[in-house]
Amino acid sequence: MASKWYVADFETTSAIYYNKNGFTKVWLYGLCDDECNIIKVGTSIDDFMQQAKRLYGKVIYFHNLKFDGTFILDWLLNNGYEYKDDLSKVDKGFNALIGDMGQFYSITFKFTKNKQVHFYDSLKVLPFKVEKLAKDFNMSIEKEKINYDDYTLNAKSLIYQIHDIKIVATALKAIKEEGMTKMTTASCAYTSFRSMYNSECFDTRFPVLPKDFLLEWRQAYRGGRCQVNPIYQGKVLKGVKRFDINSMYPWAMHDMPLPYGMPIELDKPNQYPFELYKVEIGFELKSDCLPSLLKKNTLYQDDTYYIDSDGVIELYISNIDLDLVKRNYNVYYLKYVKMYGFTCTTYSFRAYIDKWYARKKVDKGAQKLVDKLMLNSLYGKFGSNPEGQHKIPKLDDDKILSFDNSEVEEMKPYYLPIAIAVTSWAHKKIDDGIHMTGIENFVYVDTDSIHTLGTLPDDEIDQTILGKYKLEGIETISKYVRQKCYVYLQDDKYTITCAGMTQEMKDNVIKQYGKNIFTEFKSGFSCNGKLIPKRVKGGTILYETTFTIN
């Protein structure tokens, strides 16, 4: 039987090669089918694109199309292919699904009438590094290592290439057999959930809301909480306990009242379990509380959370989040400008969560990974923006790949109140935990975890029950520098968590500083090894720069 899909990978020349030659190129590629049979190994993108043509009508996956895809787009634009939104009207051309933030989903090129090839990003359904996939799926092979400045075609480079594509193909095959056949994890989860309803019931429960309503009330949709307690920030601590909530977002979807149906305009608040408000409000942080209200678009900055409103401001907010404002701030002015309420139920997602959580508790390896993805990827689909833009590839005056933004276009609408309600209940869950452990003990929070010098009530702790806190570990020594940036010693092993640092950088820093890491790891700390992508002639190179904790 012919394969339905394939996996490919490029090995490309480095920044050193670019600095010498003025361009980058594919020097090795590998291609395997859905049974992990090696179809072809070659040494140029010209050869690869000719091979791809023989697979017309099929999907070829790359694990990180954002990188490899730039070489494909560069080749297409330099070989007579023009970007077309609608390929059905031409015999030759290409299009691409690239989000306004530069996220690559797919590239399709049509080389003759009725013959086209699709490139998808497997990272969108398997959001993990190749090394982790091999481990989590209990594979007999692992990711190899090579010198990225050595372009010798030999047994070592071939094994490296073949392992990479076989690992991705094995993982893809496993999740597809579990029903994950869509382009993204969120789409897989949404399709699975949607199949549990008939169309009439689904459309009644989650109606299409007016676009103006969706655009306006997106302002009440806030992300997860990530915060260091200022009294412990930058200090060396002993005995910090790490608690994680068992499937926090699935818990909210399973246990908490969630909205359904059309919004009901209100003339006063507190009539429904879930309400949305546009308010004029003035507030100041209470002396014995931590700031909890997330500003929009300020994550990982010093002023991520409101300390005070600095006068009266306008906010879009859910009733659940407003209750947290009242808990943690002194509200000296509040005027309700606009209000909507929603009929609620705890049953919309219960069967779906029960199914996947029961599986998660007993499954292992690949099956358990699928369970986690299906549990955690669903709610965010409801928060999708009803408007968007996509990137249109082109060559700039220097013949380097660049992008224009499309016009703003309408996207498929989803039932936004679900996403706002789920995240609001999650905010409350975390804030409850912070207050239960005590502000004086609380050290750090990141989305669904609380790190504390104290503990939590016994009835809140369980290793498996949905929504309970699981003790992940007790740190011998630790230091929390800022959001997403801390180091700890546990069981004689040093661990760094730091956004922007690769695992190799972390390992090198730990090896270099050892126990002195708690002195050196602080604001202003720098180390080498950070790789920054840069588009050049031929595709993309990664050049090394210095990473600094700001």
Side-chain angles (χ1 to χ4, degrees):
M1 182 188 297
S3 293
K4 295 181 179 178
W5 51 268
Y6 297 79
V7 173
D9 182 49
F10 292 160
E11 297 307 320
T12 61
T13 53
S14 69
I16 294 175
Y17 183 96
Y18 168 74
N19 291 336
K20 181 179 179 180
N21 297 281
F23 64 91
T24 186
K25 67 176 184 176
V26 174
W27 71 270
L28 177 63
Y29 77 84
L31 181 70
C32 77
D33 66 15
D34 56 11
E35 295 293 337
C36 298
N37 300 307
I38 302 301
I39 300 300
K40 185 72 184 293
V41 173
T43 57
S44 74
I45 192 168
D46 291 321
D47 185 46
F48 171 79
M49 295 302 285
Q50 293 306 313
Q51 183 66 35
K53 288 180 180 179
R54 299 186 183 100
L55 304 177
Y56 63 88
K58 307 297 185 182
V59 172
I60 302 174
Y61 285 94
F62 283 85
H63 204 63
N64 191 10
L65 188 63
K66 186 173 184 177
F67 180 83
D68 300 77
T70 62
F71 291 84
I72 294 172
L73 292 175
D74 181 276
W75 187 91
L76 290 168
L77 289 165
N78 279 292
N79 282 272
Y81 290 84
E82 295 183 5
Y83 178 89
K84 301 291 183 181
D85 280 324
D86 187 357
L87 288 178
S88 67
K89 298 179 179 180
V90 298
D91 290 340
K92 180 180 178 180
F94 77 96
N95 63 26
L97 180 55
I98 304 172
D100 57 0
M101 301 299 291
Q103 61 275 43
F104 276 54
Y105 294 95
S106 67
I107 300 169
T108 296
F109 86 100
K110 187 175 184 180
F111 56 92
T112 190
K113 187 176 182 180
N114 299 325
K115 291 185 177 181
Q116 55 189 27
V117 181
H118 310 280
F119 301 105
Y120 284 7
D121 189 2
S122 54
L123 201 60
K124 295 298 185 292
V125 284
L126 289 165
F128 309 102
K129 293 183 178 179
V130 173
E131 183 178 14
K132 180 174 171 58
L133 291 177
K135 181 179 178 181
D136 287 353
F137 283 75
N138 299 313
M139 297 183 198
S140 59
I141 58 174
E142 61 183 8
K143 183 173 177 64
E144 301 290 333
K145 293 183 179 180
I146 58 170
N147 179 353
Y148 292 109
D149 293 310
D150 182 0
Y151 313 125
T152 305
L153 184 60
N154 54 28
K156 186 176 181 63
S157 59
L158 286 173
I159 290 171
Y160 176 91
Q161 177 71 276
I162 289 168
H163 279 204
D164 267 17
I165 56 177
K166 280 193 169 186
I167 289 168
V168 174
T170 301
L172 274 174
K173 187 176 190 306
I175 67 168
K176 284 177 179 292
E177 288 175 350
E178 295 294 329
M180 293 186 67
T181 58
K182 297 295 183 180
M183 190 181 292
T184 67
T185 54
S187 294
C188 291
Y190 188 83
T191 300
S192 175
F193 171 69
R194 179 70 178 78
S195 69
M196 301 176 79
Y197 285 83
N198 65 49
S199 295
E200 183 178 356
C201 181
F202 188 91
D203 293 343
T204 300
R205 180 152 292 193
F206 308 112
V208 176
L209 302 178
K211 187 176 79 169
D212 289 347
F213 180 94
L214 296 175
L215 291 173
E216 179 179 12
W217 291 98
R218 282 187 63 78
Q219 297 174 79
Y221 183 29
R222 291 177 171 82
R225 190 165 174 180
C226 186
Q227 186 175 39
V228 183
N229 190 336
I231 66 175
Y232 296 122
Q233 187 167 4
K235 295 182 179 180
V236 177
L237 307 173
K238 295 183 178 181
V240 172
K241 299 182 181 72
R242 294 194 315 279
F243 290 97
D244 283 0
I245 299 172
N246 296 319
S247 300
M248 181 179 68
Y249 292 116
W251 159 81
M253 299 168 76
H254 186 274
D255 286 6
M256 306 311 293
L258 297 178
Y260 68 91
M262 297 299 292
I264 303 160
E265 194 164 3
L266 306 176
D267 56 6
K268 62 181 180 180
N270 303 316
Q271 298 185 64
Y272 290 87
F274 181 72
E275 296 177 349
L276 291 174
Y277 306 141
K278 177 183 178 182
V279 298
E280 294 174 357
I281 189 170
F283 54 84
E284 297 173 340
L285 184 66
K286 292 179 180 178
S287 59
D288 58 347
C289 292
L290 288 171
S292 59
L293 182 62
L294 179 69
K295 296 180 180 179
K296 299 293 283 185
N297 304 319
T298 60
L299 199 57
Y300 313 146
Q301 299 179 14
D302 290 338
D303 62 344
T304 300
Y305 297 90
Y306 284 99
I307 303 298
D308 64 68
S309 60
D310 194 22
V312 175
I313 60 172
E314 182 180 274
L315 277 182
Y316 287 84
I317 194 167
S318 71
N319 60 321
I320 304 159
D321 281 343
L322 183 59
D323 285 343
L324 297 184
V325 171
K326 293 175 181 178
R327 172 194 277 178
N328 296 314
Y329 301 83
N330 290 312
V331 178
Y332 57 81
Y333 181 83
L334 178 61
K335 178 183 178 181
Y336 295 90
V337 178
K338 190 184 298 186
M339 295 172 282
Y340 288 97
F342 294 82
T343 307
C344 292
T345 180
T346 58
Y347 289 98
S348 290
F349 298 92
R350 183 163 293 183
Y352 179 87
I353 301 299
D354 281 342
K355 170 188 172 181
W356 291 106
Y357 197 69
R359 289 182 48 163
K360 178 187 170 187
K361 288 194 290 187
V362 298
D363 282 344
K364 298 184 184 302
Q367 286 74 28
K368 188 167 186 175
L369 181 63
V370 169
D371 303 338
K372 289 180 179 180
L373 291 171
M374 296 296 276
L375 279 168
N376 294 320
S377 302
L378 176 57
Y379 89 91
K381 195 69 174 175
F382 289 90
S384 300
N385 198 325
E387 284 188 344
Q389 294 174 286
H390 65 270
K391 298 286 188 182
I392 300 173
K394 66 174 187 177
L395 294 178
D396 66 14
D397 293 340
D398 295 319
K399 301 300 182 182
I400 295 172
L401 177 66
S402 63
F403 299 92
D404 286 333
N405 287 322
S406 70
E407 298 294 324
V408 175
E409 51 199 354
E410 291 193 10
M411 313 297 282
K412 181 179 177 179
Y414 293 87
Y415 191 71
L416 175 65
I418 287 293
I420 300 174
V422 169
T423 52
S424 295
W425 285 120
H427 298 159
K428 183 179 185 304
K429 181 74 172 178
I430 280 291
D431 199 69
D432 287 348
I434 291 171
H435 282 273
M436 283 189 291
T437 196
I439 301 297
E440 70 282 2
N441 295 317
F442 164 73
V443 175
Y444 181 75
V445 61
D446 188 353
T447 310
D448 61 352
S449 67
I450 288 178
H451 303 200
T452 176
L453 290 167
T455 188
L456 292 164
D458 289 344
D459 62 356
E460 290 290 332
I461 301 173
D462 189 274
Q463 292 298 105
T464 59
I465 294 177
L466 191 69
K468 295 293 185 181
Y469 286 87
K470 173 173 58 179
L471 180 61
E472 285 289 333
I474 302 176
E475 298 161 5
T476 307
I477 308 174
S478 51
K479 185 177 185 180
Y480 291 77
V481 180
R482 59 161 170 79
Q483 297 163 307
K484 303 283 187 182
C485 183
Y486 57 93
V487 58
Y488 64 87
L489 173 67
Q490 180 182 319
D491 299 329
D492 297 322
K493 179 183 178 182
Y494 294 95
T495 299
I496 293 175
T497 294
C498 187
M501 289 183 72
T502 65
Q503 188 58 51
E504 184 177 3
M505 293 167 63
K506 297 171 187 176
D507 292 341
N508 289 339
V509 167
I510 290 169
K511 183 178 180 180
Q512 180 179 354
Y513 293 104
K515 64 182 180 181
N516 294 324
I517 187 67
F518 297 105
T519 301
E520 299 296 330
F521 201 70
K522 58 188 176 182
S523 182
F525 171 82
S526 295
C527 63
N528 296 323
K530 183 176 182 179
L531 297 175
I532 301 294
K534 178 182 179 181
R535 290 194 298 272
V536 299
K537 286 184 179 180
T540 297
I541 60 169
L542 299 174
Y543 68 93
E544 186 173 317
T545 186
T546 300
F547 171 82
T548 301
I549 299 176
N550 297 316

